[in-house]
């Protein structure tokens, strides 16, 4: 073999060797070329791969609970209460009711008629009636639009129709059965930590059953006494 022939075959053998070592592409198979770090650094020298810091999402603010003041807390049903930080909320009384002026030379007794608050225990078609002194009481509406008897001389002394809708937690109830005039009453005395809150009267003349609530903020004994004078006239008609 000639010398020139040897030099010609050597490059061919080198190419064949490199071709045999390279990965072959087979039909239906994808060949993945390994990443070359030095090439990435050469082509993208200014690209930083440091992960960006994550900004924490602030938690939603808790809703603010605002107590609803009411001069008649006993009208609310029992509810679960939570202890919140800060000062304990206090009840704010609503304004004193503006009472109609007593008519001069009015009869000493006027009637308050209404539907019994326990209709299922009353005879159909009958209403309650109580008589009151218009010089001492005024028939009006309270801040909730309910017809009430308001004492003219004692602020917040009211006789309110009542049907026993439940009591808030923390109140104690004592029962007493008494007869006032011609009506028998189950009297509910409501206290909180020994302090009298209000009194409820449920009764009738055996034809109707209705309830009244006597509310007060001051002069409670006089308010209760005057209210029982009115409730002693309860009858159906």
């Amino acid at each position: 073999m000639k010398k020139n022939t040897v030099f010609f075959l050597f490059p061919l053998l080198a190419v064949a060797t490199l071709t045999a070592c390279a990965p072959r592409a087979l039909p239906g198979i994808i060949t993945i070329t390994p990443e070359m770090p030095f090439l990435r650094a050469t082509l993208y020298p200014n690209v930083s791969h440091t992960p960006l810091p994550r900004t924490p999402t602030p938690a939603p603010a808790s809703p603010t609970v605002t107590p609803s003041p009411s001069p008649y807390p006993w009208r609310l049903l029992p509810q679960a209460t939570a202890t919140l930080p800060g000062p304990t909320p206090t009840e704010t009384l609503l304004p004193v009711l503006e009472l109609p002026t007593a008519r001069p030379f009015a009869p000493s007794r006027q009637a308050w008629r209404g539907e019994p608050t326990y209709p299922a225990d009353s005879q159909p078609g009958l209403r309650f009636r109580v008589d009151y002194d218009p010089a001492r009481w005024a028939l009006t509406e309270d801040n909730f639009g309910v017809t009430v008897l308001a004492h003219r001389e004692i602020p917040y002394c009211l006789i309110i129709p009542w049907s026993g809708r439940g009591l808030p937690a923390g109140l104690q109830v004592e029962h007493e059965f008494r007869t006032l005039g011609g009506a028998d009453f189950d009297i509910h005395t409501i206290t909180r930590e020994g302090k009298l809150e209000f009194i409820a009267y449920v009764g009738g003349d055996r034809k109707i059953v209705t309830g009244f609530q006597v509310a007060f903020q001051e002069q409670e004994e006089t308010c209760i006494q005057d209210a029982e004078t009115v409730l002693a006239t309860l009858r159906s008609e």
Side-chain angles (χ1 to χ4, degrees):
M1 183 181 294
K2 296 182 181 181
K3 184 176 182 181
N4 293 336
T5 303
V6 174
F7 285 107
F8 176 75
L9 292 177
F10 181 76
L12 293 178
L13 292 175
V15 172
T17 303
L18 293 175
T19 303
C21 295
R24 296 184 179 182
L26 299 179
I29 299 178
I30 300 175
T31 303
I32 299 176
T33 304
E35 185 180 7
M36 292 178 284
F38 69 89
L39 184 60
R40 177 182 293 274
T42 303
L43 296 179
Y44 310 103
N46 297 325
V47 177
S48 174
H49 298 283
T50 304
L52 296 177
R54 295 183 178 180
T55 303
T57 302
S62 301
T64 303
V65 179
T66 303
S68 300
S70 170
Y72 313 132
W74 51 87
R75 289 188 177 180
L76 305 178
L77 292 172
Q79 298 180 4
T81 57
T83 302
L84 300 178
T88 302
T90 58
E91 291 181 0
T92 302
L93 294 176
L94 295 177
V96 178
L97 298 179
E98 295 184 5
L99 305 182
T101 304
R103 294 182 302 169
F105 310 108
S108 60
R109 287 288 181 269
Q110 291 187 3
W112 174 22
R113 298 176 175 90
E115 299 296 329
T117 58
Y118 293 86
D121 300 317
S122 304
Q123 295 183 14
L126 294 180
R127 298 190 302 170
F128 75 79
R129 171 177 173 167
V130 293
D131 296 331
Y132 64 94
D133 181 0
R136 190 175 298 269
W137 297 91
L139 189 63
T140 184
E141 290 186 354
D142 68 0
N143 294 286
F144 301 96
V146 178
T147 301
V148 300
L149 275 179
H151 205 289
R152 292 188 179 276
E153 300 175 1
I154 306 175
Y156 298 107
C157 177
L158 304 174
I159 303 177
I160 310 167
W162 194 73
S163 58
R165 303 179 211 174
L167 299 174
L171 297 182
Q172 294 77 41
V173 183
E174 295 182 1
H175 292 271
E176 176 188 5
F177 293 92
R178 277 199 291 139
T179 299
L180 299 177
D184 298 322
F185 287 96
D186 179 9
I187 303 176
H188 307 247
T189 302
I190 313 300
T191 59
R192 184 195 301 272
E193 297 180 354
K195 180 182 178 181
L196 183 61
E197 292 284 320
F198 69 95
I199 300 180
Y201 299 78
V202 179
D205 60 355
R206 295 182 175 86
K207 295 180 181 179
I208 62 167
V209 177
T210 191
F212 298 95
Q213 173 184 309
V214 178
F216 39 77
Q217 291 293 325
E218 56 186 57
Q219 304 181 50
E220 56 190 48
E221 293 183 2
T222 304
C223 177
I224 294 171
Q225 182 178 357
D226 289 352
E228 289 189 352
T229 300
V230 174
L231 297 180
T233 65
L234 175 64
R235 59 193 182 277
S236 61
E237 63 176 21

